[in-house]
Amino acid sequence: MYSSLIEKLIIKKLSHLIRLLFSIIVSVPLIAHAEPPVKDFPQSLPSLPATLSASGETSTPEYVIIKSSDQATFSSETAASVANIPMKEGSSFRIGDILLELDCRLQRAELKKALAEQTAADMSQTAAKKLQSYGSISKFEVVKATADADIARAEVDKLRATVDKCVIKAPFNGSIAEIMVHSHETVKPGDPLLKIVNTENLEFEMQVPSCWLQWLHIGSDFSVHINEVNKTISAKITKINPQIEPVSQSVKMVAEIIPANPALLPGMSGQAIFPANFTKNCTSGKS
């Protein structure tokens, strides 16, 4: 009787111990893989506030970049080797200066040959017209002589244009931004040679909220603080893009630098500074 009672007590204790161990085992992975609660983040970041200066002007976060109104990248129009590059990257030039020369002796020889063929074709055409007046030649022969002369002249024009492109001259005043080839290097048609920019006719370019069109227009004056030279430059809006960017609800504007400043270079950037009465809430308009 006592033995059976002891067995029941042992079994009861063991079952209680097993349930305790099972509950601990089950709870361990839940604790190990528990993640911290996710915090709620705001749907949008607060906009940067405009700062009002003592002069009554408002500095806005609108980013402004200086761009050249004229720039060009020259490519080779013939297969030749680079004969001469008289300037280096960063060099300034005036309109008409030679920027690069290609070795086009072969093309010049072909031009001379085409000129000789043109002379012969012109003489044949003249003779055919004279014989036609005597009735000694058919109409087909006259037409063929005329066509041969036209073909010869077209070949001369083509080769002369190719030879003219062997010497690249500056189309405006500016500086060399990049040279893509080296002297004595062979190039083929379409290979880029050099890039130039006009450093005189510079302009500001910026993106502003489209709702600013309520008070900004062509002719509006403002200032730009240039980061690289730490100067404030006056400007006047000269162009407004007729298309609004639908995603950002912004519009591109171009402004003239007043007056021209030789210290400014393409690629410099800064922040726009508008008169205080321009920086209003987009829904209010200008009073």
Side-chain angles (χ1 to χ4, degrees):
M1 177 179 179
Y2 289 105
S3 61
S4 62
L5 181 59
I6 293 172
E7 288 176 358
K8 290 180 179 180
L9 290 173
I10 293 174
I11 292 173
K12 186 176 180 181
K13 291 290 184 181
L14 287 175
S15 61
H16 178 69
L17 181 60
I18 290 172
R19 286 196 299 269
L20 181 61
L21 291 173
F22 180 76
S23 62
I24 293 174
I25 293 172
V26 171
S27 63
V28 166
L30 294 177
I31 295 173
H33 292 84
E35 296 181 356
V38 179
K39 295 182 179 179
D40 293 332
F41 289 94
Q43 296 298 321
S44 60
L45 295 176
S47 58
L48 293 175
T51 58
L52 187 62
S53 66
S55 62
E57 294 183 326
T58 301
S59 176
T60 69
E62 270 56 49
Y63 180 76
V64 180
I65 188 170
I66 297 178
K67 288 192 173 183
S68 173
S69 59
D70 297 313
Q71 58 181 344
T73 299
F74 294 96
S75 300
S76 176
E77 296 192 17
T78 185
S81 61
V82 179
N84 183 32
I85 308 177
M87 298 188 181
K88 305 296 181 184
E89 289 186 1
S91 300
S92 299
F93 53 79
R94 306 295 297 175
I95 184 171
D97 288 349
I98 294 177
L99 306 177
L100 186 143
E101 293 181 86
L102 297 175
D103 184 0
C104 290
R105 287 174 293 178
L106 178 61
Q107 289 81 352
R108 291 189 179 92
E110 291 177 348
L111 176 59
K112 288 182 180 180
K113 176 183 176 182
L115 287 169
E117 291 175 347
Q118 179 187 0
T119 301
D122 288 342
M123 292 181 66
S124 297
Q125 181 185 20
T126 301
K129 288 182 178 180
K130 189 172 184 179
L131 290 174
Q132 184 184 29
S133 64
Y134 297 147
S136 303
I137 193 173
S138 66
K139 184 177 180 180
F140 170 77
E141 290 175 306
V142 175
V143 172
K144 186 177 184 306
T146 303
D148 289 342
D150 292 339
I151 291 173
R153 281 191 290 270
E155 184 68 14
V156 168
D157 292 341
K158 183 186 75 172
L159 291 173
R160 182 174 284 123
T162 300
V163 170
D164 290 342
K165 295 293 184 179
C166 290
V167 178
I168 297 177
K169 297 183 178 180
F172 48 74
N173 301 335
S175 298
I176 296 180
E178 184 180 1
I179 298 177
M180 294 87 155
V181 293
H182 302 88
S183 296
H184 313 298
E185 183 176 343
T186 300
V187 296
K188 60 183 182 296
D191 285 350
L193 302 175
L194 74 162
K195 179 180 179 180
I196 61 174
V197 294
N198 190 331
T199 54
E200 294 182 349
N201 297 328
L202 300 179
E203 57 190 16
F204 290 130
E205 186 176 291
M206 61 180 177
Q207 295 276 142
V208 302
S210 58
C211 55
W212 284 23
L213 292 175
Q214 297 177 60
W215 52 81
L216 277 183
H217 53 80
I218 293 177
S220 294
D221 296 318
F222 66 102
S223 302
V224 177
H225 181 78
I226 305 299
N227 299 325
E228 286 80 1
V229 295
N230 195 25
K231 291 183 178 180
T232 300
I233 308 298
S234 299
K236 182 188 294 289
I237 294 177
T238 56
K239 301 173 187 175
I240 298 178
N241 195 311
Q243 183 175 357
I244 294 175
E245 213 290 316
V247 177
S248 63
Q249 285 296 293
S250 62
V251 62
K252 182 186 293 185
M253 293 188 178
V254 176
E256 176 188 4
I257 300 174
I258 304 173
N261 192 325
L264 302 182
L265 296 173
M268 288 184 175
S269 60
Q271 290 76 41
I273 304 173
F274 293 92
N277 61 335
F278 278 9
T279 54
K280 292 186 176 182
N281 189 294
C282 286
T283 59
S284 64
K286 184 178 179 180
S287 57

